[in-house]
Amino acid sequence: MTNTVNLALPCIDAAQAQKHVTHNEALRILDTLVQLAVLDRDLAAPPGLPVEAQRWIVAASPTGLWSGHASHVAAWQDGAWMFSVPAIGWLAYVIDEGRLLAWNGTAWVDALSMLTTLQNIALLGLGTTADSGNPFSAKLNNALWVAKTVAEGGDGNLRYKLSKESASKTLSFLLQDNFSGRAEFGLTGDDDFHFKVSANGSAWVDALRLDKTTGLMTHADGVVPRTLCVQRSGDSNDSSSGSGAYRNHNLTYTIPANFLCAGRALRVTAVIRYATGSAPPVFSHRLLAGSTVLAEIPSGTPAASVANRSAGYIFLVQATAAPGSAVNVETSPAGQTNAINGGNTSNNTAQPVALATNGALTLTFATQWATAGTGTNTATLSQFIVEALN
């Protein structure tokens, strides 16, 4: 007598006597394995009082009448044990665990772990019900996404790629309070980056906007200034050398290449802390971009015999064209506080000045003591601040 390949059902041979015996045996096997639900998979020895048609998955290292049947399906049929050897792909529902298992050829594993591809799923609900308006829905308290490491065959990076149909469409993250919108950020109706807020889910304020071309930020109440550099505790220029040469102080800021574009305005503030002797020499200062002088304040003589005084110098720098190799840049002293040189705010450097704004430019503040003077005369760059006004 031969058996079927998948379930090992006995086949009725030609001219076989008592065909009903073979037929009934096959039905019992079908009754055991079709819609397979087992009571348990943790027993290594047969239960004491099995009930007709109850089924188990035999645990490892079985004993007694189950000996030699590890991982097999054991069914109590007609007062005896019937064993079925699983084949790859068999499914079994474990009642005491409420879990669906699959035989992978060597072990019973979680059935879903054998799925490697899911394609074109119309609806997917995780902890909730998805619908046509929200075909992917999840109700949970935490979500974790982890980059696939290099050791696992990945590159260690993790990027979310979201794409909309065209510039006029919206691609955004909407943050809600009990399903009423309160904040939204993304590409909302164009390709600028928007940050929006709402008090009621219907009236929205475009709180912050980043221009897609220039990167300039616009706030609800106007253009947003940006602090590019805040430095303190710079070096000192001592007049004792008496060389009359300019000293470039060590607090600097490097403007990135292509940052100075048409209309871009910078405010540069330099604070000098100074002390003078009984006869201080003439003092002057300038602002440079690289080796090019942007502004030079006319010289003046500070007050004699002062200690730990400070003076602030403010410059406005603005480009007139797109970044290039020789773009005109206009610079003007915008004001002074307690100025060492008498408060003169004119610029001795002819304007505009041509700069290669398509390359990086280092802003430097420089000071000069014309001669040695009498006594101790020092100028320390105590603060250097650079801001982008738009």
Side-chain angles (χ1 to χ4, degrees), residues 149-316:
T149 65
V150 174
E152 295 168 321
D155 60 10
N157 301 306
L158 180 61
R159 290 183 176 89
Y160 291 89
K161 297 179 181 179
L162 308 175
S163 180
K164 60 180 181 175
E165 182 181 3
S166 62
S168 62
K169 304 296 184 180
T170 291
L171 176 63
S172 69
F173 287 87
L174 180 63
L175 310 181
Q176 298 180 316
D177 183 350
N178 194 25
F179 301 103
S180 177
R182 291 297 181 268
E184 184 177 16
F185 63 93
L187 311 178
T188 55
D190 54 38
D191 283 345
D192 293 339
F193 194 38
H194 299 255
F195 293 83
K196 296 183 176 184
V197 291
S198 174
N200 54 21
S202 57
W204 290 84
V205 175
D206 207 355
L208 187 65
R209 178 173 182 164
L210 280 68
D211 186 275
K212 64 181 180 297
T213 303
T214 64
L216 296 181
M217 294 187 293
T218 304
H219 194 266
D221 57 4
V223 175
V224 181
R226 286 170 286 170
T227 302
L228 305 177
C229 159
V230 176
Q231 299 182 57
R232 60 185 305 276
S233 301
D235 59 352
S236 299
N237 183 5
D238 192 335
S239 71
S240 60
S241 61
S243 64
Y246 271 96
R247 176 190 180 93
N248 291 346
H249 287 273
N250 65 340
L251 301 185
T252 64
Y253 173 71
T254 300
I255 305 171
N258 301 312
F259 184 78
L260 274 180
C261 54
R264 172 67 55 78
L266 304 180
R267 179 168 57 204
V268 182
T269 303
V271 177
I272 289 291
R273 187 172 65 247
Y274 65 99
T276 60
S278 58
V282 171
F283 181 78
S284 56
H285 56 274
R286 58 173 49 157
L287 179 69
L288 302 94
S291 59
T292 302
V293 178
L294 296 179
E296 182 171 280
I297 307 298
S299 302
T301 303
S305 302
V306 297
N308 294 323
R309 299 286 182 90
S310 65
Y313 300 88
I314 303 171
F315 303 89
L316 295 179

